Amino acid sequence: MGQAAVQPPPVRADERVARQSPLRRLLGRPELGALIGAVAVFVFFSVVADAFLQASSFSTVLYAGSTFGIMAVGVSLLMIGGEFDLSAGVMVTTSALIAALFSYQLTLNVWAGVVISLVLTLALGFLNGLLYVRTGLPSFIITLATFFMLAGANLGVTKAVTGNVATDSVRDMDGFATARSVFASDVVIGGVNVNITVLWWLLLVAVATWILLRTRAGNWIFASGGAAASARAVGVPVTRTKIGLFMGVAFCAWFSGMHLLFAFATVQSGEGVGNEFFYIICAVIGGCLLTGGYGSAIGAAIGAFIFGMVNKGIVYAEWNPDWFKFFLGAMLLIATVVNLIVRRRVEQSR
């Protein structure tokens, strides 16, 4: 009696390589909720505030977005990697204070202070990352401790050196004009003055997006944030990746600090406290998950743009600015819920 031939089971196509429609790819993007929110906020303030659509007003909106968007780039990558940095706000001030104090007290060219600040600020980011990977403590605790230490050091060192809570002005020092042109100048685009931070912001977003989507390091970032233990088991250098992400936040803090210094020529030692939450809000509105492994730099940029629109739109609408945080919180909640709904529907349709 002959044996019946065994039929092989049907082969299912791997969903990772299956072709997807453009609509499904769009719905799967982490920044979709932020984009919808940005359009809604733009239309809203265009209707209620006549000055909102003026070119000069829009330039101011972009500037407000860029000052937080530059930091949101580094914070978003760190959040995709599964970590937080609560010292990011005061680290901006620390970097500016380092550059100002070294330049003025040692009568150096301000560019020497800029370089010293870069080295020391990156060292702070490295220290945050090293403490995290060596102790195993949550990054929340590590960077919260750094936050308090930096906030205290900013005030204590500045008062000890200058006798005041602010640094001396570096406006008349050698190199100030060229440093200002790099970090805090205005560029005329279409007859409108646009702060150079807007251009640097867009460049940083482009570089971060390229890293995330086109490089091996981007794969490491997503893997480290999604499942660090599994990523380590398949050879992903999780330790180096995490430390590098903390240093990325430090680099963005240094750049923001240089803008702060050369825009005003002096730095208040108490600035920056609380700003770290705004950076995180920009990233979360942009689609970054608090659990890590998901998000984009473009989304964080859109979140920062929403921040700028709400910040300045309330002023142009001549409303009480006390409502700013209410609108920001509402946008955070709405964008997060939209992201959650979209992701669930995409996952169910697969």
Side-chain angles (χ1 to χ4, degrees):
M1 185 174 180
Q3 187 176 5
V6 178
Q7 297 294 329
V11 179
R12 294 182 58 187
D14 190 336
E15 66 177 12
R16 294 173 299 177
V17 297
R19 296 177 62 86
Q20 290 185 331
S21 66
L23 177 60
R24 179 170 292 185
R25 287 199 299 268
L26 176 63
L27 292 177
R29 293 299 304 165
E31 60 269 9
L32 177 62
L35 182 60
I36 295 173
V39 172
V41 172
F42 181 82
V43 172
F44 176 76
F45 282 112
S46 298
V47 172
V48 302
D50 295 334
F52 187 76
L53 291 179
Q54 295 178 5
S56 58
S57 300
F58 194 69
S59 173
T60 304
V61 168
L62 288 175
Y63 172 64
S66 70
T67 56
F68 285 86
I70 289 174
M71 283 302 300
V73 172
V75 169
S76 65
L77 265 62
L78 181 63
M79 289 183 64
I80 294 171
E83 308 303 336
F84 295 93
D85 190 344
L86 296 183
S87 67
V90 293
M91 195 180 294
V92 172
T93 306
T94 300
S95 68
L97 290 171
I98 290 172
L101 292 175
F102 271 96
S103 298
Y104 189 89
Q105 304 303 322
L106 300 180
T107 62
L108 302 174
N109 187 296
V110 294
W111 278 104
V114 168
V115 173
I116 293 172
S117 176
L118 174 60
V119 173
L120 295 181
T121 306
L122 288 177
L124 287 173
F126 177 81
L127 182 61
N128 273 341
L130 185 65
L131 287 173
Y132 166 73
V133 299
R134 289 293 177 87
T135 64
L137 292 172
S139 56
F140 176 90
I141 298 299
I142 295 293
T143 58
L144 182 62
T146 307
F147 161 82
F148 283 115
M149 289 189 291
L150 289 181
N154 288 350
L155 180 60
V157 172
T158 304
K159 289 186 69 174
V161 173
T162 68
N164 202 341
V165 296
T167 64
D168 297 290
S169 175
V170 297
R171 189 178 303 276
D172 297 326
M173 298 190 65
D174 292 340
F176 179 85
T178 54
R180 182 181 175 85
S181 67
V182 172
F183 296 106
S185 63
D186 287 333
V187 179
V188 179
I189 301 177
V192 179
N193 287 335
V194 177
N195 196 283
I196 198 169
T197 55
V198 175
L199 304 183
W200 286 119
W201 173 37
L202 296 177
L203 177 61
L204 287 174
V205 171
V207 171
T209 302
W210 174 76
I211 291 173
L212 285 174
L213 301 181
R214 293 289 184 266
T215 69
R216 181 181 299 177
N219 293 331
W220 293 345
I221 293 171
F222 281 109
S224 298
S230 300
R232 189 176 287 109
V234 296
V236 173
V238 174
T239 297
R240 281 189 294 155
T241 301
K242 300 268 189 181
I243 292 177
L245 290 172
F246 279 105
M247 293 181 70
V249 173
F251 174 81
C252 293
W254 166 78
F255 197 97
S256 297
M258 294 308 96
H259 170 69
L260 178 66
L261 173 61
F262 295 110
F264 303 103
T266 185
V267 184
Q268 296 288 332
S269 58
E271 291 186 22
V273 176
N275 284 348
E276 58 279 350
F277 294 109
F278 292 133
Y279 308 147
I280 293 173
I281 287 173
C282 291
V284 173
I285 289 178
C288 293
L289 296 182
L290 296 177
T291 52
Y294 188 81
S296 74
I298 294 176
I302 298 174
F305 180 53
I306 291 174
F307 179 93
M309 286 193 292
V310 174
N311 191 359
K312 299 303 178 183
I314 289 176
V315 175
Y316 296 141
E318 298 181 351
W319 294 348
N320 189 332
D322 294 340
W323 286 96
F324 167 66
K325 290 184 178 180
F326 172 84
F327 276 94
L328 194 62
M331 285 308 309
L332 172 63
L333 179 61
I334 292 171
T336 304
V337 171
V338 170
N339 277 330
L340 179 63
I341 293 173
V342 170
R343 286 184 64 245
R344 284 179 176 176
R345 289 186 175 180
V346 171
E347 291 172 354
Q348 291 172 356
S349 66
R350 287 176 178 173

